[in-house]
Amino acid sequence: MSKITHLGANAVLFDPSRGTFNELMQRRLWGLARRLADLPWVSDAVPGMNNLMVVFEAEQITPPEVIEVVRGFWPEQKPVADTGRRLVAPTVYGGEAGGELAEFARRLNMSPLEVARLHAEPSYSVAAVGAMPGFVYLSGLHPSLAWPRMASPRAAIPAGSVIIGGAQTGVMPVSSPSGWHCIGHTSLALFDLGQDNPALMQPGDTLKFEIVDVRA
Amino acid sequence: MITVLQSGLLNSIQDLGRTRTLRWGVSRSGAMDPLALKLGNMLVGNSLEEAGVEVAIFPFRVRFDGECPFAVTGAATRALLDHTPLPPDWATIARPGQVLTLAPPTRGVFGYICVAGGVDAPIVLGARATDLKSGFGGREGKALAPGHVLELRALPGRGFVPAAGIGLAPTAMSRDSRSEPPELRFIPAAEWDDFEGDGVETFLSSLWKVTRDVNRMGYRLSGPELRPRRTRELLSHGIVPGVIQVPPRGQPIVQMVEANTCGGYAKLGVIIDADLRLLAQMRSGEELKFRPVGWQEAASATRALDRQFVSLRTSLEIMRQRPQ
C-alpha cells in the first residue's frame, strides 16, 4: 500500500514512490493534486517528486479523514496529459554568470559546447514547483550530465542561474544559497509578483533551453 | 506615522503570514511568535492578524510622529518610552514625538510592536508579512532601516487603550512550557519508523541545544548523533514550518516560517504550532526536549489557545468599559 503519513496537524504526505523517479506516477500525482485542490477543505495540494503534500483546513476535516480520501482517490487516478504550455529559456552557457561551466565540462570529460548542447537538447517536463518561489523540478536531464551536488552550499547564486545538481537541472528563481552547479544564465523570469499566478510554470508545463551563446 | 531611528538587518513588518502559496514555492513567513503578535494586536484593539513590527536585532528605536496607542509583546525586551520603562506585554499611548526604545531582551528572541490601526504595507500574495529570504512583502521585501517611515492602516482608534496603560499579567495566559527545560510536542512524520530503536530512544531522552545557527528559515540543534536503522534516498517533497529534519550528519534542523517549501532530508516529526513559537523564542545555548503527541493533542492545544484569546478579549473589553 502507498505510504501516507502525517506532516503536522494540518498536512499529510502521500508517498507512493518506489525510490527512483517515475514519469507515469508523476502524471497520476498531477491528476490527484488537481482533483484534491478542488475540495473546499484543501488549502494546498503540492506535488513533489513522485509524492504529494496535502495541506488542509484542520477546522473542517481531521487527518484520518484526509488520509481516507487520498487513499480512496489514488487507485482510480489515471495519468493526466501535460498542460500543453511550452516555455523557452534563452540561455547563455558559461560566461560570468555561468562560471562553473568550464570546470563542470572538464570533470565530465566534455567540452563546454558539448555540455551546452546536451543540456539544451531535451524538452524538460516540469514535474513539480516548490522549494523557492517559482522554482521548478525538471525531469529529463541527460544522464551523462548528472553530477553530485557540492558537499556544502555556496553563499548565494544569482536569480536566473541555470543549475545542475545530481540528476536534476533547474533555474534559480531568486538569489539564494545552493549546492548545485551553475552552468549558465537565462533571461526567463520564473517568478513575477505582478501575475495572478506568480510562479511562471506549473506542473505539466514543458521547458526548453535555447542556446544564446556558449562562453568560456 | 512612525519613523524608524535605529534598526538591524532582521527587523521587519510581519503579520500571520501566507496561506495557499506553497503551490508556488512561497513560504508562510509571518511572525516567528504569532501568539505574541496576536496579543499585541488584542491589547491595542486590532483584529488579531494585523501587521506589526518584529524585532530581532536590538536596540530598536522608533519615533511616534502622532499620538499612537501601541503595545510591546514577545521577548522580554526592556522597552522604554522616552525614559519611562514599560512593563512586559504592555499597551499605552505615545504622545507625538515620543521615542520608543527596545533594548536587548533578557529572555526570548523576538519582540513585537503593535500599533492601533495596524502597520500598513501592500498585501502581497495575501499578506503584509516580509519574506526576507525572497525579498518581497512588508517594506519592499527588506528589513527596516533608520529613516523608514511606517504608515498606519487606520487612524489609531481612540479609547481602546486607557491613558494609564493596560497589560497582561504573566499568568494571564498559559503560554510558556510547563516543564523545564521546555518540552516541545511534535507529531511523528514519515521517517520516524526508520529511526525506531536507538534513534527514537536517543531523540526522546536527550536534551537538545539550540546552536548559533538559527534564523527565520531554520533552527539547528545539537546533541548526540541520530542514526537511522536504515537510510533511504528521499525524493524532494513538500515540507511545512515545524518539520524536524535529520540530515546525514545526525543533528536535527527544525524548519521555521521562512523555510524552503520542499526538502529531501529524513523527517522525524513536525512540532505542533502551539509549541513552535516556544522554540522560536529560545536562544543559542538553551536546551529543550521533545515529546511525541497525536494530531488530537495538537488540535486541542490550538483550541485551548483560541479559547484563551476569547476570554482575554472579553476581560479587556470589561476593563475598558469600566469608568477610569
Side-chain angles (χ1 to χ4, degrees), chain A residues 3 43-44 49 51 131 134 197, chain B residues 20 22-24 190 236 260-261:
Chain A
K3 197 171 159 186
S43 45
D44 256 319
M49 297 300 273
N51 53 57
N197 256 330
Chain B
R20 298 173 179 259
L22 296 172
R23 67 195 75 173
W24 303 313
S236 295
N260 282 353
T261 65

Side-chain angles (χ1 to χ4, degrees), chain A residues 3 5-9 13 42-44 46 48-51 53 55 57 62-64 129-134 137 191 193 196-199, chain B residues 19-26 124-125 133-134 136 187-191 232 235-240 243 260-262 267 270 273 295 298:
Chain A
K3 197 171 159 186
T5 48
H6 293 273
L7 190 63
L13 182 65
V42 171
S43 45
D44 256 319
V46 187
M49 297 300 273
N50 274 188
N51 53 57
M53 175 174 71
V55 185
E57 305 286 348
T62 66
V129 177
M132 291 168 282
Y137 289 90
F191 189 71
L193 284 166
D196 283 347
N197 256 330
Chain B
T19 55
R20 298 173 179 259
T21 59
L22 296 172
R23 67 195 75 173
W24 303 313
V26 172
V124 179
L125 304 180
K133 175 187 69 176
S134 304
F136 58 79
I187 299 174
E191 283 73 52
R232 287 181 293 169
L235 296 173
S236 295
H237 53 268
I239 55 172
V240 292
V243 68
N260 282 353
T261 65
C262 289
K267 302 166 294 305
V270 178
D273 280 347
W295 62 270

Side-chain angles (χ1 to χ4, degrees), chain B residues 7-48:
Chain B
S7 186
L9 276 176
L10 294 171
N11 302 337
S12 58
I13 296 172
Q14 296 296 343
D15 58 12
L16 297 181
R18 302 186 166 80
T19 55
R20 298 173 179 259
T21 59
L22 296 172
R23 67 195 75 173
W24 303 313
V26 172
S27 315
R28 180 195 297 171
S29 296
M32 286 286 274
D33 184 350
L35 183 73
L37 182 77
K38 288 188 199 174
L39 285 173
N41 276 324
M42 189 174 64
L43 283 171
V44 295
N46 289 345
S47 64
L48 299 183

